[in-house]
């Protein structure tokens, strides 16, 4: 009896493995520089899905899934859930913080430890929230044991069930 070999997989552009974590959070935001109703403080039931990709598996995984999803979900729950995301230059940011409301500032010149992920993102648009969460997921990935070459390949954020924005790694 000869050696047993796994079945061949179809050839294609650079095959890879991936894992995704989804999480939801309730958060208000406002976009004062836009025209229309988004200048008002309003909330959404946000959904985030982040995907990490690796060319090969390490001990059968891309990243240890339990620790990865725990870290990402904990960061979101601690810093965004049941709070307000505002631009650092938004006058409501200071007023809400004075009244002990949870405020996450985008584009702060004096960012706190969590707000450093929003440096260079001046307003909490859904596109900016996707990039913010890509940065957070990237930090979580760097802090955990992961397969060689693992990277954040995509983050999709839904602010309503019909509106989404995404951030995608543009590998060259």
């Amino acid at each position: 009896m000869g050696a047993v070999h796994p079945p061949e997989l179809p050839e294609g552009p650079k095959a890879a493995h991936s894992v995704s974590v989804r999480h939801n959070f309730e958060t208000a935001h406002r976009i004062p520089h836009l025209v229309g109703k988004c200048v008002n403080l309003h909330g959404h039931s946000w959904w985030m899905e982040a995907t990490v990709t690796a060319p090969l598996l390490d001990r059968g995984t891309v990243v240890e899934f339990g620790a990865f999803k725990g870290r990402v979900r904990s960061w979101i729950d601690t810093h965004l859930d049941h709070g307000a995301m505002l631009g650092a230059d938004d006058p409501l940011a200071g007023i809400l913080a004075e009244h002990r409301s949870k405020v996450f500032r985008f584009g702060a010149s004096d960012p706190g430890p969590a707000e450093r992920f929003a440096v260079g993102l001046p307003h909490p648009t859904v596109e900016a929230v996707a990039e913010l969460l890509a940065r957070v997921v990237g930090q979580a990935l760097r802090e955990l044991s992961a397969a060689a070459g693992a990277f954040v390949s995509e983050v999709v954020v839904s602010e309503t069930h019909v509106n989404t924005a995404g951030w995608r790694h543009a590998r060259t």
Side-chain angles (χ1 to χ4, degrees), residues 102-159:
K102 184 191 294 187
V103 176
F104 186 91
R105 299 173 306 151
F106 278 65
S109 59
D110 61 338
E115 292 172 338
R116 68 186 169 90
F117 292 108
V119 168
L121 303 171
H123 300 283
T125 62
V126 67
E127 298 92 338
V129 173
E131 185 171 345
L132 163 75
L133 293 174
R135 293 173 181 183
V136 169
V137 170
Q139 182 64 37
L141 185 62
R142 286 187 293 278
E143 293 172 353
L144 297 168
S145 177
F151 65 99
V152 180
S153 53
E154 184 173 34
V155 174
V156 176
V157 174
S158 302
E159 64 175 4

Side-chain angles (χ1 to χ4, degrees), residues 40 43 51 60 75 127 138 143 164 170 172:
N40 297 302
T51 302
W75 191 96
E127 298 92 338
E143 293 172 353
T164 64
T172 55

Side-chain angles (χ1 to χ4, degrees), residues 8 62 66 74 99 109 168 172:
E8 293 288 322
V62 171
S74 176
H99 292 275
S109 59
R168 185 171 298 129
T172 55

Side-chain angles (χ1 to χ4, degrees), residues 51-106:
T51 302
V52 172
T53 302
L56 299 171
L57 298 179
D58 178 34
R59 297 182 318 210
T61 65
V62 171
V63 62
E64 200 285 296
F65 200 56
F68 175 64
K69 67 183 178 181
R71 207 166 279 201
V72 170
R73 289 175 176 168
S74 176
W75 191 96
I76 291 170
D77 290 347
T78 299
H79 301 290
L80 301 181
D81 189 44
H82 283 77
M85 298 183 295
L86 300 169
D89 62 352
D90 190 321
L92 289 182
I95 293 168
L96 289 173
E98 285 175 22
H99 292 275
R100 298 187 328 211
S101 288
K102 184 191 294 187
V103 176
F104 186 91
R105 299 173 306 151
F106 278 65

Side-chain angles (χ1 to χ4, degrees), residues 30-43:
R30 85 179 196 121
I31 317 297
H33 70 286
L34 295 181
V35 176
K37 62 185 180 179
C38 289
V39 302
N40 297 302
L41 183 63
H42 62 286

